[in-house]
Every structure is written in C-alpha cells, then in structure tokens.
Amino acid sequence: RVRFVHDATVAHAAAFGDGDGIVVIAGTGSVAFGRAGTCRARVGGWGPTFGDRGSAFWFGRHAIAAAMEAHDRERASPLPAWIYEDLGAGDLRAVQHGIAAGSISAGRIAALAEPLLMAAAADPEGEAAALAGEAVAALWELAALAANRVGAVAPREVGPSGGLFASAWFAERFRRAAPAGFVVVAPRSTPAQGALGLAYADAGLAAGPRRGGP
C-alpha cells in the first residue's frame, strides 16, 4: 500500500514524531506545517512563481534581481563574478537569456544560496546578509501563520528543516530571530526516518525503528 504525502508532513514527523509543533522547511522552496491536537495547517509552499518566500530559490532570485537593478543604476554588482560561472553564463544578459530559454533551472538558481550564505557569514553587513535577514523574517512569518491557524499555545516549538539550515550561520540567525512565544528545537530524526515512522504508523505498528537505526 502506498500513500503520497507532502514533504512538510514528512518533515513534521521527523521533527516531532506524532506530537505537536511547527516545522519550517527552507530548501529549494519554503513551507510551514503546524499541528496542535487534531488541527493541521500548511502555509506557503506555492512554488517559485507565486511563493516560496525565504527559500533557497527566493534567495538566489533576489540576489540576481539586485544585481540587475545595480546594473541599470550603473552601480557595482553585488554578485561575485564566479556566480555567473556557476550558472553557465558570462554576464547578467546571459543569465536573463538562460532563464528565459530554460537552460538555467530553478534548482540552479536555488543552488546560489549556499555560496551566498557563505558570503553573508563572511560579511554580516553586506548585501547577502541583508537578503538572509529578509529570508529569516519571511520564514518566521510562515511559522507564525501556521501556529495561529492550528491554535498552538506558547511556547510554540518550531523545528527547522531544509538545505538553508545546513548553514550554521543561517540556522543561528533564524534561532536568534525567534519571536516571543516561539522556541527553536532540533528535529528528533532525519526526514527519511520521519517517512519511515509514518509508514510504520500506516501499517498499524506501535513501535518504529530506533533513532539512528537503518
């Protein structure tokens, strides 16, 4: 028997098992999923065209947009030159044409987030760090909306998940920006183990694999 679920459901199971809490995913896209008792709510996750605020794609797209605006205003580009090489483009016009032609995918734009976060950590006052701050604020807004939808009571536990949080600098900035009444908690297991736990529950098995098991 097969059941397809949203990756936010899997991430929540990894973070909280069958308990209450809010999971915030910031990978290629972004989404928040909350659970409190029998209430469930998913906020965000609308994809790169209409949503995904604070995601890796959002981060890369805004960095490119900032560079294009700087070009129009004849200012120095905030993007390091090697980023164009990562995109397989020689300059901003080539980036524009690559995106329009489909040769530069959303995934490649999202992949810019990792080196940009490294640049942000190296220069906390720079353009990349400012974008990271906007991403953190957007992700906390998703968490707050999900918490309000399910009626979660303080302290509202939030479990971060996804590639952006692989950056220790970004994860710490997210933790320190927690609004009053929220607390960041480490996920109990990996998303793969969360999916396995859901499968055990679907099969009617009371006990799943031990943490750290295969």
Side-chain angles (χ1 to χ4, degrees):
R1 189 176 64 200
V2 177
R3 181 163 67 100
F4 292 92
V5 300
H6 194 277
D7 59 351
T9 303
V10 172
H12 190 280
F16 300 104
D18 59 358
D20 296 346
I22 314 296
V23 68
V24 175
I25 300 178
T28 300
S30 65
V31 64
F33 180 80
R35 170 177 171 171
T38 60
C39 294
R40 310 282 189 277
R42 190 172 81 211
V43 178
W46 297 112
T49 302
F50 300 108
D52 286 347
R53 292 179 303 140
S55 68
F57 174 85
W58 178 96
F59 202 104
R61 185 181 76 80
H62 276 68
I64 292 172
M68 290 176 172
E69 181 178 353
H71 179 275
D72 288 342
R73 296 177 181 274
E74 298 185 322
R75 297 198 304 257
S77 172
L79 284 184
W82 48 263
I83 284 183
Y84 301 120
E85 297 178 13
D86 282 6
L87 293 173
D91 55 27
L92 279 173
R93 290 296 179 190
V95 170
Q96 175 199 8
H97 292 314
I99 293 171
S103 59
I104 297 178
S105 65
R108 290 180 71 181
I109 294 173
L112 295 179
E114 181 178 357
L116 286 169
L117 282 175
M118 293 175 64
D123 181 13
E125 303 300 322
E127 292 261 1
L131 279 176
E134 292 182 36
V136 165
L139 294 173
W140 273 116
E141 184 177 2
L142 290 179
L145 288 170
N148 290 338
R149 289 267 300 275
V150 298
V153 296
R156 298 166 170 182
E157 294 190 338
V158 174
S161 181
L164 280 189
F165 293 111
S167 163
W169 179 86
F170 186 82
E172 176 61 15
R173 184 156 184 174
F174 179 80
R175 186 191 67 79
R176 292 175 63 180
F182 288 84
V183 59
V184 177
V185 298
R188 299 179 184 179
S189 62
T190 67
Q193 290 170 316
L196 192 56
L198 291 174
Y200 268 67
D202 282 358
L205 301 177
R210 289 179 296 177
R211 186 181 304 178

